[in-house]
Amino acid sequence: IDAFRRKATTQTQEELDLAIPEFEAANRIKPNQPAVVPYLARAMTSSRKFEAAEKLYRDLIASHKDYLPAYTELYILMMLQNRPQDAE
């Protein structure tokens, strides 16, 4: 999210783009883990793949209802997209 706000440098964005397949592989091996999904979703957000990031957060929330950081991250994602009505 911070990289998105700062308009990530080309090198940083390239590194995030390279990390996405690695995080996706980890998520396929053991889906919806709080140790993986937030990082994958943040990289997706930085790459402007908002729908994919939103789905990741919603799936994480569905499987870990008590994992509060997922709610916060989803809220931030909604606000970045100027969707305050969906952030509540």
Side-chain angles (χ1 to χ4, degrees):
I1 304 297
D2 289 335
F4 179 83
R5 287 186 179 144
R6 287 189 316 246
K7 309 274 190 214
T9 65
T10 302
Q11 180 181 359
T12 302
Q13 190 58 55
E14 288 172 0
E15 290 172 0
L16 287 170
D17 290 342
L18 289 173
I20 289 173
E22 301 297 326
F23 286 128
E24 288 174 327
N27 195 43
R28 277 192 301 277
I29 292 168
K30 197 166 182 185
N32 300 320
Q33 293 301 304
V36 174
V37 171
Y39 298 103
L40 173 56
R42 288 179 197 142
M44 294 278 199
T45 299
S46 182
S47 295
R48 305 186 73 76
K49 297 176 183 176
F50 300 128
E51 289 181 24
E54 180 177 345
K55 182 177 182 342
L56 287 165
Y57 286 129
R58 292 192 184 280
D59 289 349
L60 180 59
I61 289 168
S63 61
H64 297 277
K65 292 180 181 14
D66 60 341
Y67 185 65
L68 298 180
Y71 295 90
T72 303
E73 296 282 343
L74 182 58
Y75 173 83
I76 291 168
L77 178 62
M78 296 293 111
M79 297 307 287
L80 283 172
Q81 297 177 81
N82 197 27
R83 294 173 51 195
Q85 69 282 2
D86 298 325
E88 296 182 9

